[in-house]
Amino acid sequence: MKEKTGNQPSRPGHASDDPLLWPFAAARLAMDACFWWIERGPAGQGDSSLPWTTPGTVALELATMRLRDCTRTRSGQPALVCAPYALHRPLIADFAPGHSVVQSLQAGGIDRVYLTDWRSAAPDMRYLSIDSYLTDLNVAIDEIGAPVDLVGLCQGGWLSLLYAARFPAKVRRLVLAGAPVDLSIESSLSRLTRNAPELVYDQLVARGGGNVSGEEMLRLWSKAPSRDDIDAALQRDLSDEDGAALLARFDRWNTETLDLPGTYYLQIVNWIFRGNRIAGGSFVALGRAVDLKDVKAPVFLLAGLDDDVVPAAQALATAGLVGTPAAFIAAASEPSNHLGLFMGARTHAHAWPRIAGWLRDDLSGVLARSA
């Protein structure tokens, strides 16, 4: 095999070359491209051609998202799945039968499930900030009817945690799955972002006309995940007819990227992943400093033992940052990589039914034992 030269992609599966290691792989993209300047705006992004797995309607049309309503009844406790707003579309939370967070929650008895369907950033969205996303999340939760159970996946996890700290009365329970919060804990992401100069990220936004182009990141920097990568993510044999259909669906999902507002992106890079402001207690959300000790709702933490994106130690460390009593913090560590936490068949057979049961539990027994 020839040695890699120039800006050719590194070998598939290597942690720092995984196209799902957003946002820091963007730094490698910019450096490998030698700040190649493109005089164009971000590519146009239409709606996904892939159908949702779970039937639903659009309850709200907001600047940052469509609020999907997958409810089967109007009674009962609502759960809002906060999908990651990263390189790929929120179908990650409702990928396919047996591989869907929405479906697993419903199968576990959660009849009122909603989902954040984040929009790809248009040119007029380039100045949207983290506050913009917290504001629309607040509008969505008011529409659903607080308090809600918030289920945050990956990047949607830190957003959900910020929301729960800023509006503690509006969150009944909080699930954080593979959520990066304390970036002082070593990971491939924290190492990569520390080593990249701030200018790299600024150039990436400038090249996208004020947004970060998901299509450009995928085209110039990443390689398609290998068959082994996809097997590990979906946690099943893909050699049969159903597996072939899943593989084709994954390939289509992987190529349907989202653009990100430049302001939002740079705040995540500089405030969260470089400055560690959420864990450090210096993050200001909607005009008020956020104290994670204000989160006293029951919390469930889900981590992947083979997760290179958000290592288990990092995902589980959030337990020590919140104000929730230890008796009301539950955790599970699955033999899973990062994507497998949301898409994996084994994870959906074991962890997500447990999470659904925990959401239904009145926890009165826990309260009695902790008294």
Side-chain angles (χ1 to χ4, degrees):
M1 180 180 295
K2 293 183 178 180
E3 183 179 350
K4 180 173 69 72
T5 60
N7 65 345
Q8 295 173 349
S10 299
R11 54 189 188 279
H14 190 270
S16 64
D17 299 320
D18 190 330
L20 298 162
L21 292 188
W22 178 93
F24 306 103
R28 187 173 185 276
L29 161 63
M31 288 187 287
D32 284 354
C34 300
F35 301 112
W36 173 52
W37 190 267
I38 306 174
E39 290 293 344
R40 65 173 180 85
Q45 298 278 342
D47 290 336
S48 173
S49 62
L50 289 168
W52 295 94
T53 299
T54 306
T57 59
V58 176
L60 280 180
E61 295 266 6
L62 299 172
T64 65
M65 67 160 141
R66 298 178 182 91
L67 176 64
R68 281 191 58 79
D69 179 353
C70 303
T71 59
R72 300 187 295 191
T73 176
R74 293 299 167 189
S75 61
Q77 174 63 35
L80 174 57
V81 178
C82 190
Y85 184 39
L87 179 63
H88 293 93
R89 294 183 178 273
L91 193 72
I92 190 174
D94 192 36
F95 181 69
H99 304 267
S100 163
V101 172
V102 173
Q103 182 188 65
S104 290
L105 291 175
Q106 288 185 338
I110 311 300
D111 291 326
R112 295 185 63 197
V113 182
Y114 298 81
L115 174 65
T116 60
D117 181 11
W118 303 113
R119 297 181 185 275
S120 186
D124 63 355
M125 295 171 65
R126 62 189 180 276
Y127 297 120
L128 294 185
S129 64
I130 292 175
D131 273 0
S132 304
Y133 288 81
L134 287 170
T135 297
D136 278 3
L137 190 60
N138 190 43
V139 172
I141 286 173
D142 283 347
E143 177 74 13
I144 294 167
V148 302
D149 293 339
L150 259 182
V151 181
L153 312 182
C154 186
Q155 306 270 354
W158 61 254
L159 188 67
S160 297
L161 182 62
L162 280 178
Y163 183 87
R166 185 63 179 81
F167 300 102
K170 293 188 176 185
V171 178
R172 188 188 74 114
R173 294 188 190 174
L174 184 62
V175 177
L176 302 178
V181 176
D182 188 351
L183 274 299
S184 69
I185 296 174
E186 192 74 3
S187 70
S188 56
L189 295 187
S190 59
R191 286 193 300 271
L192 183 55
T193 191
R194 281 197 306 267
N195 292 336
E198 189 173 339
L199 178 62
V200 166
Y201 303 102
D202 294 335
Q203 288 280 15
L204 185 68
V205 172
R207 285 166 50 191
N211 288 332
V212 174
S213 168
E215 181 182 349
E216 184 184 348
M217 281 197 288
L218 199 66
R219 177 173 59 86
L220 291 180
W221 162 73
S222 68
K223 292 184 69 174
S226 70
R227 178 65 175 270
D228 287 345
D229 295 332
I230 303 173
D231 284 350
L234 299 180
Q235 299 172 352
R236 61 150 290 168
D237 181 12
L238 299 174
S239 61
D240 59 13
E241 184 176 346
D242 290 340
L246 275 176
L247 184 61
R249 186 171 174 83
F250 186 97
D251 286 340
R252 287 177 61 192
W253 168 79
N254 185 56
T255 59
E256 291 185 345
T257 59
L258 291 177
D259 296 340
L260 307 173
T263 298
Y264 168 87
Y265 173 80
L266 291 176
Q267 286 177 350
I268 293 172
V269 169
N270 295 319
W271 295 0
I272 298 176
F273 287 93
R274 292 171 74 94
N276 202 27
R277 291 190 187 183
I278 298 178
S282 59
F283 196 100
V284 176
L286 296 172
R288 182 181 298 170
V290 167
D291 185 351
L292 295 185
K293 295 300 182 184
D294 289 336
V295 178
K296 295 182 170 61
V299 175
F300 194 110
L301 302 173
L302 177 63
L305 295 174
D306 303 315
D307 190 343
D308 289 331
V309 180
V310 183
Q314 187 181 99
L316 299 177
T318 304
L321 301 175
V322 297
T324 305
F328 290 92
I329 297 178
S333 299
E334 290 290 317
S336 170
N337 65 11
H338 190 63
L339 269 187
L341 292 175
F342 323 121
M343 292 180 163
R346 289 193 310 271
T347 309
H348 281 288
H350 298 104
W352 286 103
R354 179 181 169 189
I355 290 170
W358 178 83
L359 290 173
R360 294 196 324 270
D361 195 335
D362 64 12
L363 298 183
S364 58
V366 176
L367 179 61
R369 290 193 298 272
S370 63

